[in-house]
Amino acid sequence: MNFPKLFTPLDLGHVTLPNRILMGSMHTGLEDKAGDYDKLAAYFAERARGGVGLMVTGGIAPSIQGWLKPFGGRLTMPWHKPRHRKLTRAVHAEGGRICLQILHAGRYGYHPLSVAPSSIKSPITPFTPRALSSQGVERTIGDFVRCARLARDAGYDGVEVMGSEGYLINQFIAARTNQRNDAWGGDATRRMRLPVEIVRRTREAVGRDFIIIYRLSMLDLIEGGQDWSEIVTLARAVEAAGASIINTGIGWHEARVPTIVTSVPRAGFAWVTKKLKGEVAIPLIATNRINMPEVAERILADAEADMVSMARPLLADPQWPNKARAGRSELINTCIACNQACLDHVFQNRRASCLVNPRACHETELKIEPAGVRKRIVVIGAGPAGMACASTLGQRGHTVTLIDRAAEIGGQFNYAKQIPGKEEFHETLRYFRHRLSEQGVDVQLGRTADTASLRAEGYDEVVIATGITPRTVSFPGSDDPRVLSYIDVLARHCRVGANVAIIGAGGIGFDVAEYLVEHEPSSTTDIARWTREWGVDMQLAQRGGLQPAQPEPPARKIWLLQRSEGRPGARLNKTTGWVHRATLKGKHVQMLGHVVYHRFDDQGLHISIDGASQVLPVDHVVVCAGQEPDRQLADELVAAGVKVHVIGGADLATELDAKRAIAQGTRLASEL
Ligand code: FAD
Ligand code: NAP
Ligand code: SF4
């Protein structure tokens, strides 16, 4: 049997889960409108078909005060039940199980009705919450219980009580946010009374044959968080109050330690869950950066937890459990923890999706169906756009040829995979290698496509995915051999000196800076070293699990430059940009804006900022100044009268990323 621990059933008394895989809660944006519940039902049904043991919905508020944002999803009235029944029926029809997550946002609520234990504004929301009265606390417990009862009526298999990530329950537990001196605040016992009462009264209301997962904050990662003895006491109390399972919560949203981005080592927090093993008898779930079956199996085999939670990995590949069980891990479309289409979208009030799987949350709209007419199609360029297009065309039954002049598939992902903390990009390349083969795509590497041969081969459709060329810069000395492009550094591995200026502070400039400051590229997979660098106390001797960060000294002195005014990195993605900025700050990278480039010579790079000149004493300059579409082949083919479809960077280089490239390739393939 493949992954025997992962596929061992879990007996919860009244129900047996078929395996140890939980799809953790993820807000998709579809929860918030009644009209979107058919789409949400299709999304969950697809994952139930994929074989996951148990799923948890995105956070649903038990009251208006508990909303995450105005008019967010809630289950507070009997007339809300029919929309939820759509989800539970769709999941049960596929043999799956689903719990509703009850989430009261407390002071994280992005609206003026928010409430909290004390009237203290959070650093990440503009609204100051109203402090709940004692009666208000009682009413809030009643709201949780009513929500759980309605969830049961709507057919859910259970609920998850969200007690972590800095939401209302966490705010009651931590002295930092709970300054009350009544029955719900003061000492630790009174601060943790709210979650214990919620679980106890919920269990009374729903009976024994209903799952209650309690999401326990096991590592707050904020000053004034809980200490370990308080966490153990709370775990035992929620068990005694009637919880069926304890799930792990890591870090409040306002924490300044990354918890799920791609540079967090795989299973980087499973050691926290392990610490709680033996303290309670109910099953424990490990979470965060678990994305492949080997990692999940190891956690279970080492008895670090009884179940594993994966949220984004099931967004990326709904068939993850079935593929693992069948021993086809090589075909898993691995979540690379980029956050670009999931969390970043949610923060922009857009529907979530997935960079590597654009069908996620669009299951009813982006359908991959067998082709009506089977055609011979050529795709030129095996970057993300071309790989996605060719493999989807193959899936639909077309006869597909994929040509790339490079010796390997992947395009720019072959540069990205070398950046420290982007090791997961190797997985996308592995996935496409196997998927292209599975779909019978004829992959021709080391071949530069040209107009004459393409015309001679007479394809029914021609797709151009030739990507980009890096933008060059022009100033005196810019033709010096010591002025390199990012391709010289990442592909040709040119030697780079101890002092370096990087021109351009976009995504690639930041990545190249991270590459150049690091001594050993593989260091980001070492959990002990990573926790030291970010100031996480693995002994949990300190409140909140924090200790002073100890970044290792940089391998080089770097200046990261941009012409525009303001802070470099301000345009990086919402949920990951701060991690990149903090990493480079820890490595003493000088980030300068409003720079004018004058010349490069033996003294270094001559620049001025607001009229003040200076010379940066650098050995090399690396140019990361953006990209231009490579349309040469497309233009030649069009001039020769061949109809072409142009996708990815070849279509538009401005604000190009792999999310757009893969989505555009997949969409085109679904239509041809
Ligand atoms: P490309 O990846 O450029 O692929 C084009 C392919 O076409 C190449 O393989 C090329 O060899 C081939 N080709 C060109 N002409 C011909 C021809 N005539 N015949 C045969 N083959 C030809 N994006 C993100 O979303 N997230 C990230 O974190 C991220 N990190 C990055 C880090 C780095 C260091 C770099 C360089 C890029 C990063 N990107 C990231 C950007 C992302 O890789 C690109 O947006 C994406 O690769 C564009 O895909 P594409 O298929 O359009 O083109
Ligand atoms: P980019 O993000 O557009 O950044 C280009 C940088 O070059 C900017 O800092 C720009 O700033 C500067 N620049 C532009 N024209 C210039 C010129 N003529 N001379 C000097 N400087 C110039 O592009 P990129 O860094 O090349 O990245 C390409 C794409 O890959 C981006 O769309 C990005 O989203 C994607 N990517 C994403 C990630 C990620 O982690 N999500 C990582 C890497 C790449 P000024 O104009 O102010 O100088
Ligand atoms: Fe994972 Fe990125 Fe997809 Fe989100 S968008 S599920 S982080 S691969």
Side-chain angles (χ1 to χ4, degrees), residues 3-11 16-23 51-54 277 283-286 296-297 300 305-310 320:
F3 308 111
K5 299 281 180 199
L6 198 53
F7 292 100
T8 298
L10 181 65
D11 184 0
T16 300
L17 303 178
N19 56 51
R20 305 300 178 104
I21 306 168
L22 177 91
M23 178 167 118
V52 59
L54 181 64
K277 282 285 283 182
L284 296 180
I285 307 179
E297 182 73 8
L300 299 173
D306 305 288
M307 257 184 118
V308 291
S309 169
M310 288 176 288
W320 193 110

Side-chain angles (χ1 to χ4, degrees), residues 482-486 489 494-503 509 512-517 555-561 588-592 600 604-605 616-624:
R482 290 168 294 178
V483 177
L484 306 170
S485 78
Y486 62 86
V489 176
C494 294
R495 194 193 70 78
V496 182
N499 297 290
V500 186
I502 297 175
I503 290 186
V512 168
E514 288 188 37
Y515 178 83
L516 292 174
V517 291
R556 292 181 179 80
K557 170 76 195 152
I558 307 280
W559 285 265
L560 182 55
L561 314 172
H588 313 297
V589 171
Q590 293 280 314
M591 299 186 217
L592 305 176
F600 176 74
L605 183 65
L616 306 180
V618 297
D619 311 303
H620 286 96
V621 172
V622 182
V623 179
C624 305

Side-chain angles (χ1 to χ4, degrees), residues 139-344:
R139 236 189 340 267
T140 303
I141 297 171
D143 292 340
F144 271 86
V145 175
R146 180 187 57 213
C147 187
R149 222 188 251 126
L150 290 169
R152 191 187 166 112
D153 293 351
Y156 284 102
D157 299 282
V159 290
E160 177 173 80
V161 175
M162 180 41 150
S164 66
E165 274 35 31
Y167 292 115
L168 181 84
I169 290 178
N170 237 181
Q171 294 156 25
F172 265 88
I173 297 166
R176 165 197 176 97
T177 39
N178 181 346
Q179 297 178 354
R180 306 171 72 96
N181 209 358
D182 61 0
W184 307 100
D187 60 19
T189 311
R190 281 180 285 163
R191 290 200 308 272
M192 64 180 71
R193 209 177 137 213
L194 177 73
V196 178
E197 281 303 303
I198 288 172
V199 174
R200 191 179 65 75
R201 293 189 212 175
T202 300
R203 177 56 78 202
E204 271 172 20
V206 295
R208 299 303 315 167
D209 57 344
F210 193 65
I211 300 169
I212 299 180
I213 306 172
Y214 182 78
R215 185 93 181 261
L216 175 73
S217 190
M218 292 192 205
L219 182 68
D220 290 333
L221 297 177
I222 45 136
E223 301 285 340
Q226 299 166 88
D227 71 20
W228 184 246
S229 68
E230 290 167 1
I231 292 164
V232 173
T233 306
L234 177 56
R236 290 183 183 144
V238 295
E239 176 181 33
S244 331
I245 307 179
I246 291 181
N247 192 2
T248 305
I250 301 287
W252 290 34
H253 285 316
E254 65 205 67
R256 292 290 90 186
V257 177
T259 54
I260 59 167
V261 304
T262 191
S263 54
V264 174
R266 283 183 176 183
F269 292 101
W271 56 272
V272 186
T273 314
K274 183 182 183 186
K275 224 173 147 60
L276 198 65
K277 282 285 283 182
E279 304 284 2
V280 289
I282 53 176
L284 296 180
I285 307 179
T287 60
N288 291 48
R289 288 289 284 118
I290 302 166
N291 62 349
M292 285 301 279
E294 296 75 15
V295 184
E297 182 73 8
R298 189 205 52 73
I299 290 171
L300 299 173
D302 291 353
E304 293 185 338
D306 305 288
M307 257 184 118
V308 291
S309 169
M310 288 176 288
R312 298 170 300 167
L314 284 139
L315 204 55
D317 194 339
Q319 285 291 327
W320 193 110
N322 285 346
K323 288 178 183 174
R325 200 179 44 215
R328 305 301 311 272
S329 303
E330 74 280 5
L331 279 172
I332 289 178
N333 192 4
T334 306
C335 165
I336 58 172
C338 64
N339 284 354
Q340 286 176 238
C342 50
L343 264 189
D344 281 336

Side-chain angles (χ1 to χ4, degrees), residues 359-372:
R359 290 194 65 246
C361 303
H362 295 75
E363 287 76 9
T364 57
E365 294 139 302
L366 179 50
K367 294 193 171 161
I368 313 295
E369 287 167 340

Side-chain angles (χ1 to χ4, degrees), residues 262 338 340 344 355 412 416 419 422 425 468 470-475 486 502-512 560-565 568-569 571-573 576-577 580 592-595 597 623-628 652-658 660:
T262 191
C338 64
Q340 286 176 238
D344 281 336
L355 178 140
Q412 294 177 65
I419 305 300
K422 287 199 172 175
F425 284 59
I468 52 84
R471 186 176 292 132
T472 51
V473 292
S474 177
F475 49 74
Y486 62 86
I502 297 175
I503 290 186
I508 293 178
F510 266 76
D511 275 0
V512 168
L560 182 55
L561 314 172
Q562 69 178 25
R563 298 170 308 172
S564 34
E565 272 187 279
R571 289 194 302 266
L572 294 180
N573 297 356
T576 49
H580 294 296
L592 305 176
H594 217 194
V595 172
Y597 308 110
V623 179
C624 305
Q627 306 176 327
E628 309 279 1
L652 185 69
T654 310
E655 297 192 355
L656 167 72
D657 60 9
R660 172 146 64 76

Side-chain angles (χ1 to χ4, degrees), residues 34 83 92 106 124-125 195 208 233 297 313 317 331 350 389 403 508 524 532 577 586 597 622 629:
R83 71 184 73 153
H92 292 155
I124 56 171
T125 37
R208 299 303 315 167
T233 306
E297 182 73 8
D317 194 339
L331 279 172
R350 295 168 63 192
C389 187
I403 301 174
I508 293 178
T524 46
R532 226 177 15 254
Y597 308 110
V622 182

